[in-house]
Amino acid sequence: MKKFLLLGAAAMLAGSVNAQTITGKMTLDWEHSMADHTGAETRSIGQLGKQALVPNYTTGKLEVWDATGKVKEYDVNTWLTANKADINPDDGAAYTMGRGVSTDEAGNIIVNLQFPGVVSSTKFLAIKPDGTMKYIPCEFPSALGATNGRMDFLGDKSAGDVFNNGFIVACPNTVQYAVVYNIFEGEQDTEFSYGVKIGDAENTESWNTESSAIFLEPLAADAQHAPKFIARNRNMAGYRLSADGESAMQKITLPDGSTLGFGIASTTNFTAFTVGGESYVVGNQPDPSKSDPTSISARTHYWEVKKVSTGETMATWSMPTGEACDYNVGFASSVNEDGSVNIYQFNKGIRLAKYTLAADFTGINNVIADADENAPVEYYNLQGVKVEKPENGIFIKKQGAKATKIVAE
């Protein structure tokens, strides 16, 4: 598993740190002013371990931020224009970066293209850690009886390795499916690309533009269908779960009979992660002090980390008094090897911040990690075939619940 080094001292926003209220085992590590990101050029953020990814639709560049500030940019629009002859010279929509960003388990970055526009849920660009870029156009599964759709947000976690074998999930507007694109050797495998129905029997609502999905489990070496993922929809004010990546998505029912949600149509972007076999979601909550919780003015003055299985609140962050917020607040997260969690928050025109949720916030500590260390080791090639002795190539090492990619000589 890739290791991430702790970064140095953070550059803080003057005067704002002490005004924030944080409950639970969570600390603020660093934050930077987003005064230059005041419009709708950024709608969702992503992560690479202890780095935050900020797509800037206006400049066409994917920005990488850490404790020291903005450390790198990938000029997506320039690459798309320079390579248009190899992409589709007749399709002008292919040459503009969108506002959604994701990462897969191999550390590749994925951005959607041309938001706003219906192509934003079928056209993607992937960026390797060395900066190599690849255009990945996808076909909308014809069996769904729909023709594409606009997608504002791309969940911050994809599955597998989209340059080899992985999945991208898109939740387009007005289509009652999360569309699962199977990517094999950098191209869509249309045979195994499909739609996962959003709904329960009583659900007649369609996806709203503010929707996205996030993978909760690693991609199995022999997977043909996408692993478990979670989605949320602003119009439904609740989360939906695909337990096996194939069956219809269902409401998440809590032990008291209620469903896991976020109160009102207040949140757009969100993040989710899994630690010790339990999944958690991070999202905005409506301000309980507002007289009309359904009004736009109720968006939103605190966010919570919630356990999916029980709805229990593990940690809470409250905005400084008087700070405004709208539905463009973004989140991303990643899990460290010790079980601690990196959580990123973006609020346009105000801040980009990183928080750490302590490794023992669940009370599980490292019991799961210890069990993995004693589990038998198995190896698979990239086609999912088990091998006894990996030699001369790239293989998947599976030990307990952990799966890592190795290079064997």
Side-chain angles (χ1 to χ4, degrees):
M1 183 175 293
K2 190 174 182 180
K3 296 180 181 295
F4 297 95
L5 301 177
L6 289 173
L7 298 172
M12 300 296 183
L13 278 173
S16 68
V17 175
N18 293 332
Q20 301 177 39
T21 301
I22 300 174
T23 62
K25 297 179 179 180
M26 184 165 63
T27 57
L28 172 64
D29 297 333
W30 52 259
E31 60 179 354
H32 300 295
S33 171
M34 289 286 105
D36 294 335
H37 294 67
T38 57
E41 64 267 22
T42 298
R43 290 217 172 184
S44 61
I45 60 171
Q47 51 69 39
L48 272 176
K50 290 189 170 68
Q51 293 180 320
L53 306 175
V54 181
N56 190 321
Y57 175 79
T58 302
T59 65
K61 296 178 180 179
L62 189 282
E63 303 173 358
V64 182
W65 292 71
D66 66 12
T68 64
K70 183 167 64 175
V71 295
K72 186 186 297 184
E73 291 181 331
Y74 294 102
D75 195 339
V76 173
N77 280 9
T78 295
W79 186 92
L80 289 168
T81 301
N83 290 274
K84 64 182 181 179
D86 298 323
I87 299 172
N88 185 347
D90 298 321
D91 185 1
Y95 316 125
T96 306
M97 186 182 74
R99 298 182 178 126
V101 59
S102 182
T103 56
D104 64 23
E105 294 157 13
N108 302 310
I109 302 168
I110 303 123
V111 292
N112 67 326
L113 303 181
Q114 187 67 31
F115 168 80
V118 295
V119 299
S120 58
S121 65
T122 58
K123 288 185 170 68
F124 305 94
L125 182 132
I127 308 171
K128 285 186 176 181
D130 65 4
T132 302
M133 299 187 191
K134 181 176 179 59
Y135 175 61
I136 305 179
C138 294
E139 295 180 12
F140 205 77
S142 59
L144 301 185
T147 56
N148 206 336
R150 161 180 157 171
M151 182 181 64
D152 294 33
F153 300 92
L154 182 61
D156 64 279
K157 293 179 180 65
S158 292
D161 178 350
V162 297
F163 278 88
N164 292 291
N165 188 17
F167 291 96
I168 301 173
V169 172
C171 293
N173 184 24
T174 72
V175 180
Q176 295 188 44
Y177 290 88
V179 181
V180 183
Y181 298 117
N182 186 320
I183 311 298
F184 183 71
E185 296 184 348
E187 307 287 344
Q188 182 192 11
D189 186 336
T190 55
E191 181 180 358
F192 291 115
S193 296
Y194 56 96
V196 177
K197 183 72 173 176
I198 176 62
D200 309 84
E202 71 273 17
N203 173 36
T204 58
E205 298 168 287
S206 63
W207 283 101
N208 186 269
T209 52
E210 283 80 42
S211 57
S212 62
I214 292 171
F215 286 96
L216 295 174
E217 294 179 349
L219 178 63
D222 58 351
Q224 290 184 337
H225 287 284
K228 172 181 174 182
F229 62 89
I230 189 170
R232 69 90 190 88
N233 172 261
R234 183 170 70 92
N235 199 40
M236 296 177 187
Y239 299 99
R240 299 293 189 275
L241 183 69
S242 173
D244 57 10
E246 181 178 5
S247 303
M249 304 188 77
Q250 300 294 326
K251 292 180 181 178
I252 299 171
T253 303
L254 302 176
D256 64 1
S258 64
T259 57
L260 183 68
F262 34 85
I264 61 170
S266 63
T267 188
T268 51
N269 199 4
F270 80 116
T271 189
F273 57 89
T274 301
V275 174
E278 288 278 359
S279 297
Y280 302 84
V281 292
V282 183
N284 288 327
Q285 297 292 321
D287 187 344
S289 67
K290 298 294 183 181
S291 58
D292 180 7
T294 64
S295 70
I296 291 180
S297 64
R299 301 173 180 159
T300 180
H301 291 77
Y302 74 102
W303 53 267
E304 294 183 337
V305 181
K306 287 187 174 183
K307 183 185 289 188
V308 170
S309 62
T310 65
E312 177 185 1
T313 297
M314 312 304 297
T316 301
W317 177 94
S318 297
M319 281 188 179
T321 302
E323 182 173 306
C325 176
D326 69 12
Y327 67 93
N328 283 318
V329 168
F331 296 99
S333 63
S334 60
V335 179
N336 300 311
E337 289 189 347
D338 64 356
S340 62
V341 183
N342 310 305
I343 298 176
Y344 301 93
Q345 178 209 32
F346 172 86
N347 190 359
K348 73 172 189 180
I350 300 176
R351 73 160 57 78
L352 174 68
K354 176 186 177 291
Y355 305 80
T356 295
L357 193 59
D360 61 348
F361 77 97
T362 65
I364 294 176
N365 293 314
N366 293 318
V367 174
I368 300 298
D370 293 340
D372 284 336
E373 291 175 1
N374 297 321
V377 176
E378 298 175 335
Y379 296 97
Y380 297 84
N381 63 24
L382 295 181
Q383 287 71 46
V385 178
K386 187 175 180 179
V387 297
E388 293 299 325
K389 185 178 180 182
E391 293 179 330
N392 301 321
I394 301 174
F395 297 85
I396 304 298
K397 175 184 175 183
K398 186 177 184 297
Q399 186 174 22
K402 290 184 178 180
T404 57
K405 189 171 292 184
I406 65 168
V407 178
E409 298 181 352

